[in-house]
Amino acid sequence: MTQSVQVNFKAICVVLCIVIILSVAYVWYPSKEDDISSSLMKDGDTKVQSMKRVEETSQTSWEDEKKKLFADTNLSLKEEFIKVEGNDVFYREGKSVAASVPKGTLLFLHGAAFQSETWSKLGTLHFMANAGYRPIAIDLPGGKGKTKSFKVSSNDGFLLAVKEAFGLQDTPVIIISPSMSGSYSIPLLFSHPEAFKGYVPVAPTSTGSHSHEEYAKVKVPTCIIYGEEDKGLGVESLGNLSGIPGSTVHVLKDAHHPAYLDDPKEFHRILLEFTSGLYA
């Protein structure tokens, strides 16, 4: 009987010891696991962190990005007139305190229904200034902007005069040309290709005024952008401009004629990628 009690007592002690060990392990392991995870995050799991940052950025809407740009006190917008061929031409220019010497200049034109204000409201001028460039948007003569109508010497000559007015006569620039503004940029593409650092046509007019053989001789780096739903000028201009050797084509999904308004985030991504490649 005594021996039986002793055996039972030993068994109880063993069970209690096992229970205590398991309890300690249960409490210790999660805390240790947290320490290990913390250590990994501190010491090297940058890949995971980078992936999270990329995912967060991709989920940010353009409106959110634009609000941050407009709230940045290092960025500003210059708005005034400049003399071009003896006439007052209104322009808007994105400025950055951090970019005292810009990497390069971008000249933004506009379609018949728009003006330089389109690029400022969209956040484009702030965006490119923030990236270290000098973005300038002008109001073309007689449009909806502040530049009054006047007779230009020629459309391509007018753009050369604009460059000269900004002190860029010997400096090639990237010209962004949507819709109607093609009547200015397309002639310049052939008469003075040296004026271009790069060309970003967004369903421009006037592409049919030159042959496929002529486009095949163009050596200006060209980034063609148009909206998937633009079955008119988008398709027509693509048929002509795609003949430019080395040109790239970007179709903005579900976007219409002013494709940059329907998908501004993708438009700006493409624009920055193209610009960065030219000024690398």
Side-chain angles (χ1 to χ4, degrees):
M1 180 72 176
T2 303
Q3 186 176 3
S4 175
V5 170
Q6 289 178 342
V7 171
N8 289 339
F9 180 73
K10 288 180 180 180
I12 291 171
C13 288
V14 170
V15 171
L16 286 173
C17 287
I18 291 173
V19 170
I20 292 170
I21 290 170
L22 289 175
S23 299
V24 171
Y26 177 79
V27 171
W28 176 85
Y29 182 75
S31 127
K32 187 66 178 175
E33 188 178 44
D34 289 342
D35 291 342
I36 293 171
S37 298
S38 176
S39 176
L40 281 172
M41 290 299 286
K42 289 179 182 177
D43 298 336
D45 199 7
T46 54
K47 184 177 180 182
V48 173
Q49 289 178 316
S50 296
M51 287 174 66
K52 286 181 178 178
R53 280 196 294 270
V54 170
E55 185 178 351
E56 288 171 359
T57 301
S58 65
Q59 290 175 350
T60 304
S61 71
W62 177 249
E63 285 301 313
D64 290 336
E65 291 187 30
K66 189 169 70 172
K67 286 177 183 177
K68 290 179 181 178
L69 289 169
F70 287 167
D72 190 338
T73 55
N74 290 318
L75 301 174
S76 61
L77 198 65
K78 183 179 182 180
E79 301 179 320
E80 59 183 45
F81 286 92
I82 192 169
K83 286 288 184 182
V84 178
E85 297 184 333
N87 297 280
D88 289 328
V89 172
F90 188 79
Y91 75 96
R92 292 173 167 89
E93 179 179 347
K95 310 279 285 185
S96 172
V97 173
S100 55
V101 181
K103 301 174 187 176
T105 301
L106 295 88
L107 178 61
F108 290 86
L109 308 181
H110 60 80
F114 303 99
Q115 53 187 298
S116 64
E117 186 181 34
T118 304
W119 297 114
S120 61
K121 283 187 173 180
L122 191 60
T124 307
L125 302 181
H126 280 71
F127 179 75
M128 294 309 297
N130 186 55
Y133 299 97
R134 184 188 183 190
I136 301 170
I138 64 170
D139 282 347
L140 292 168
K144 291 184 175 295
K146 297 183 179 182
T147 301
K148 294 181 179 179
S149 180
F150 62 85
K151 186 176 181 180
V152 299
S153 54
S154 65
N155 284 5
D156 52 345
F158 170 74
L159 289 186
L160 289 177
V162 168
K163 287 183 75 239
E164 184 175 359
F166 285 103
L168 300 165
Q169 58 267 34
D170 298 320
T171 305
V173 301
I174 295 177
I175 296 181
I176 296 84
S177 179
S179 197
M180 175 276 293
S181 68
S183 63
Y184 290 86
S185 63
I186 292 295
L188 186 66
L189 189 65
F190 291 93
S191 65
H192 290 84
E194 74 281 357
F196 293 81
K197 177 73 173 180
Y199 185 41
V200 184
V202 187
T205 61
S206 305
T207 60
S209 58
H210 295 272
S211 67
H212 290 289
E213 289 72 24
E214 288 178 292
Y215 281 111
K217 296 177 182 178
V218 174
K219 296 181 180 179
V220 175
T222 301
C223 175
I224 302 166
I225 301 175
Y226 75 100
E228 181 183 38
E229 298 301 320
D230 185 359
K231 308 300 183 183
L233 275 173
V235 174
E236 179 186 334
S237 60
L238 173 65
N240 295 313
L241 295 171
S242 57
I244 298 175
S247 59
T248 58
V249 179
H250 299 272
V251 186
L252 301 191
K253 186 175 175 58
D254 297 327
H256 296 81
H257 184 53
Y260 42 89
L261 296 181
D262 288 334
D263 193 350
K265 185 167 185 176
E266 181 63 6
F267 171 79
H268 288 93
R269 184 197 68 77
I270 293 167
L271 179 61
L272 182 58
E273 183 180 76
F274 179 67
T275 302
S276 300
L278 293 181
Y279 287 104

